[in-house]
Amino acid sequence: HLAIFNKRKDVNAIVHSKKPEILAVSKCCKLLKPLLDDFAQIAGISARSAVFDPDNTIASSKKVVRKLKGRNSVILKDNGMLCVAGNVSDAEAVEMVAEKNAKAYVASKLFDKKIAIAPHEAFLMRFIYKAKYSKKADEGKKG
């Protein structure tokens, strides 16, 4: 966690989610695409997978940080997902939308449906959300 805090000045809270659907996704996915608008907006345009090796924490931590770039979530191979944000309630919100997205992913696999949001649309959703959220956060600091 320290590597994330040192590299991402916008992150002050990390939730390590091991919800059942998120654990399932961490066992099979190298990339979790957004199936839901709120995942694209809040968690990121995707969640990439990183392997964390406890025997090599420095190199593993760097990989996790790199996979987290531009996102608020990263899958830990076979170990759930890290959900990051500026505070605990926002990190919990990332976890909540990640769980919903993971449920949608599992359902899409069960019914053999490809329903991911197009990358350019996810990027636009994320950009607009971040711009709007940043503006509100700045207004809250002034008030």
Side-chain angles (χ1 to χ4, degrees):
H1 293 190
L2 187 58
I4 295 170
F5 291 133
N6 286 338
K7 189 71 172 175
R8 294 275 303 265
K9 300 304 175 198
D10 62 319
V11 173
N12 295 310
I14 299 173
V15 172
H16 185 168
S17 181
K18 293 187 179 185
K19 303 264 180 165
E21 295 82 2
I22 289 176
L23 273 175
V25 165
S26 78
K27 293 181 183 297
C28 67
C29 290
K30 291 186 179 180
L31 181 74
L32 178 61
K33 295 179 180 179
L35 284 77
L36 306 171
D37 294 1
D38 54 355
F39 182 84
Q41 294 168 347
I42 297 170
I45 59 170
S46 65
R48 298 182 280 198
S49 180
V51 176
F52 186 81
D53 179 4
D55 295 327
N56 192 355
T57 57
I58 294 173
S60 291
S61 296
K62 287 180 182 179
K63 286 180 185 177
V64 169
V65 169
R66 193 167 46 251
K67 299 282 183 156
L68 195 54
K69 185 175 182 185
R71 292 158 173 79
N72 286 72
S73 61
V74 62
I75 298 167
L76 296 178
K77 178 76 175 123
D78 299 324
N79 196 15
M81 179 183 284
L82 296 182
C83 303
V84 306
N87 60 57
V88 173
S89 62
D90 286 350
E92 289 169 344
V94 173
E95 179 188 33
M96 182 186 69
V97 298
E99 180 185 15
K100 286 179 11 183
N101 198 72
K103 285 179 181 180
Y105 174 82
V106 170
S108 75
K109 288 299 179 189
L110 285 173
F111 295 103
D112 199 28
K113 301 285 183 187
K114 296 184 177 164
I115 56 172
I117 296 171
H120 67 281
E121 291 176 4
F123 177 81
L124 186 58
M125 288 177 194
R126 174 81 169 165
F127 177 79
I128 291 169
Y129 176 81
K130 293 288 280 184
K132 183 179 176 182
Y133 183 78
S134 297
K135 192 174 185 180
K136 284 187 176 184
D138 288 342
E139 287 173 4
K141 289 177 185 173
K142 291 177 186 174

